[in-house]
Amino acid sequence: MLRGRASSATDASFVIGRVEIKARRFAGGPTGPLLPPGVVKVVLTPQGREFEVERAKRVADLLQQLDITPGTVLVIRGDQLLTEDARLSTSDEIELRSVVSGG
Amino acid sequence: MKCTRCRKPAEVKLRAHNSAFCRACYVVFFRRRVVRTIEKQKMFDGDARVLVAVSGGKDSLALWDVLAEEGYQTVGFHLALGIGAYSGRSLEKTEEFARARGLELRTHTLADEGLAVPDMMVATNRPACAACGTAKRHYFDSAALEYDCNVIATGHNLDDEAARLLGNVLRWQTDHLARQRPVMQPTHEKFVRKVKPLYLTSELETASFAFLSGIEYVVEECPNAAGATQLTYKALLDQLESTSPGSKLSFVNEFVTRGSAGFLAKERGAAPSTCGGCGMPSFGELCSFCSLRAEIQRKQASASAPASRS
Ligand code: SF4
Ligand SMILES: [Zn+2]
Ligand SMILES: [Zn+2]
């Protein structure tokens, strides 16, 4: 499930991979408090939004929770691409980069 | 997940091809696929001098990378559109790419003639993309002539073509369907052939290739693209693709191999005259770009002239 810090989370609504997502924005930032166990940090590019997602064991769970159609984003961890079955671990920082161009 | 070819851990899974690839195998797979498309569709051969229209985005840089690595002679051409920070970063990425690989890059800056896309939009009071498209066509054609290239290659990918095809089919635009081909032959001796070597590779495939080959591209979108109808079509096609992998590929591929022949292009005949503004082929006194430029200059002049009273 998506979680936002109760005191500092703000509701956000935006479009990624052309799917409207309603989620709570991660407001801790790199200098924020330590994440509780089982939480994955996610940044969406090029939108630059940040989230924390919990109970996402695999990439497929993460995409499902964020309501992102598979194949519309690159799933990046460090200098590697992850496939949908890849396991996620606590404190992973994942970039979801839209592959869609328009115009 | 393991690489279908070598059993190493996979980084890319392509449901449309029922395959998964490790980094090394994917790069080989992608390059081969592009080269095979070029050969099969007789786009150009090893003797050609290819003008690659490079925007700085994933598709055109991936295309340029493949062509250069495979030994084709290329000239990169970048049209600087003058769309704020987006255009600045696009030029920067394109120049970095060319410099790092020692490739020939030519650029033209629209703002030098007072024709930055936002200015054209204001002056014409029409969507930015209309003027932008006219300018791109004009400068790609004249750059091919100027830099002695015999073919123009653009980075249009499978998703672009599928979205365009869907749009054309929804309105049965038979004249547009007749012109939606991966290879367009020139209609005048001053024009060259136009090809789309990535028309069978999806956005996921080009983005994965760019990432895995270490290509630094502009991830952000042109601000004018937001809300484009094409994005709605892409979203529909992505949903279809996720329940029925390979749909986009067969939609476009079957159209090109079996459907498109049914839509005969109404030839306008050879362009009879030469544009009085730029010397390129034209159907009227001025080509569409030069008449656009004349319209803009007229409006800009009247807007800046002091109001005269009589
Ligand atoms: S989206 Fe931007 S770059 Fe593309 S045609 Fe429109 S104005 Fe030009
Ligand atoms: Zn492999
Ligand atoms: Zn002209």
Side-chain angles (χ1 to χ4, degrees), chain B residues 49-250:
Chain B
R49 228 171 105 80
V50 186
L51 188 93
V52 188
V54 278
S55 65
K58 62 185 191 319
D59 303 305
S60 55
L61 289 183
L63 173 61
W64 199 8
D65 182 276
V66 173
L67 296 183
E69 286 288 323
E70 295 294 329
Y72 291 104
Q73 304 169 57
T74 62
V75 179
F77 178 73
H78 177 84
L79 186 63
L81 304 173
I83 307 175
Y86 163 75
S87 286
R89 272 191 284 275
S90 301
L91 176 62
E92 208 175 283
K93 297 286 186 202
T94 306
E95 284 180 331
E96 274 167 20
F97 178 95
R99 205 180 306 123
R101 288 161 178 77
L103 296 173
E104 179 180 354
L105 172 68
R106 307 288 181 157
T107 59
H108 180 82
T109 305
L110 284 178
D112 288 352
E113 310 160 81
L115 297 176
V117 168
D119 296 337
M120 293 203 284
M121 181 177 73
V122 170
T124 58
N125 200 20
R126 285 193 296 269
C129 300
C132 184
T134 303
K136 281 180 185 165
R137 270 190 298 280
H138 171 78
Y139 281 106
F140 293 170
D141 284 331
S142 41
L145 201 62
E146 186 173 351
Y147 304 122
D148 209 18
C149 294
N150 33 25
V151 60
I152 297 172
T154 56
H156 294 96
N157 61 44
L158 175 64
D159 295 71
D160 297 330
E161 294 304 302
R164 187 173 156 204
L165 182 56
L166 181 60
N168 287 340
V169 164
L170 285 174
R171 279 174 249 104
W172 287 112
Q173 285 173 307
T174 51
D175 51 334
H176 291 189
L177 286 164
R179 273 181 276 118
Q180 187 171 353
R181 284 185 240 136
V183 181
M184 290 296 284
Q185 298 298 348
T187 53
H188 188 278
E189 59 182 10
K190 277 189 175 174
F191 287 144
V192 302
R193 189 185 308 150
K194 288 183 181 161
V195 299
K196 301 171 185 171
L198 303 183
Y199 85 103
L200 296 178
T201 55
S202 68
E203 292 186 316
L204 178 67
E205 289 168 63
T206 59
S208 299
F209 176 79
F211 181 86
L212 295 176
S213 325
I215 296 172
E216 296 272 343
Y217 62 90
V218 192
V219 177
E220 74 184 273
E221 273 300 303
C222 173
N224 299 320
T229 324
Q230 204 197 21
L231 290 178
T232 313
Y233 295 154
K234 282 189 175 183
L236 284 168
L237 289 161
D238 279 333
Q239 283 183 13
L240 189 61
E241 183 74 22
S242 73
T243 51
S244 166
S247 299
K248 285 189 273 204
L249 188 59
S250 56

Side-chain angles (χ1 to χ4, degrees), chain B residues 39-55:
Chain B
E39 291 174 352
K40 207 172 156 210
Q41 294 291 331
K42 299 189 173 58
M43 292 183 170
F44 47 85
D45 58 23
D47 300 328
R49 228 171 105 80
V50 186
L51 188 93
V52 188
V54 278
S55 65

Side-chain angles (χ1 to χ4, degrees), chain A residues 17-19 45-46 69-74 76 78-85 95 97-103, chain B residues 1 10-13 23 58-59 157 160 203-204 207-208 211-212 217 219-221 225 228 230-231 234-235 238 242:
Chain A
R18 287 115 45 235
V19 176
T45 51
T69 309
T72 60
V73 292
L74 295 183
I76 303 168
D79 65 352
Q80 291 213 305
L81 290 184
L82 303 182
T83 52
E84 278 167 57
D85 66 327
E95 177 187 347
R97 184 188 292 179
S98 172
V99 302
V100 180
S101 47
Chain B
M1 197 173 293
E11 286 192 72
V12 184
K13 184 188 180 198
R23 181 172 302 215
K58 62 185 191 319
D59 303 305
N157 61 44
D160 297 330
E203 292 186 316
L204 178 67
S208 299
F211 181 86
L212 295 176
Y217 62 90
V219 177
E220 74 184 273
E221 273 300 303
Q230 204 197 21
L231 290 178
K234 282 189 175 183
D238 279 333
S242 73

Side-chain angles (χ1 to χ4, degrees), chain A residues 10-52:
Chain A
T10 46
D11 282 331
S13 164
F14 58 92
V15 174
I16 178 167
R18 287 115 45 235
V19 176
E20 180 88 359
I21 297 173
K22 293 218 187 306
R24 310 191 79 194
R25 196 190 296 197
F26 168 65
T31 56
L34 279 177
L35 297 172
V39 174
V40 175
K41 269 174 76 169
V42 180
V43 58
L44 306 165
T45 51
Q47 297 88 343
R49 310 278 171 130
E50 294 187 349
F51 293 88
E52 26 178 289

Side-chain angles (χ1 to χ4, degrees), chain B residues 138 274-282 285-291 293:
Chain B
H138 171 78
T274 298
C275 170
C278 67
M280 291 299 280
S282 154
E285 224 167 273
L286 291 178
C287 72
S288 48
F289 175 72
C290 288
S291 33
R293 176 164 52 192

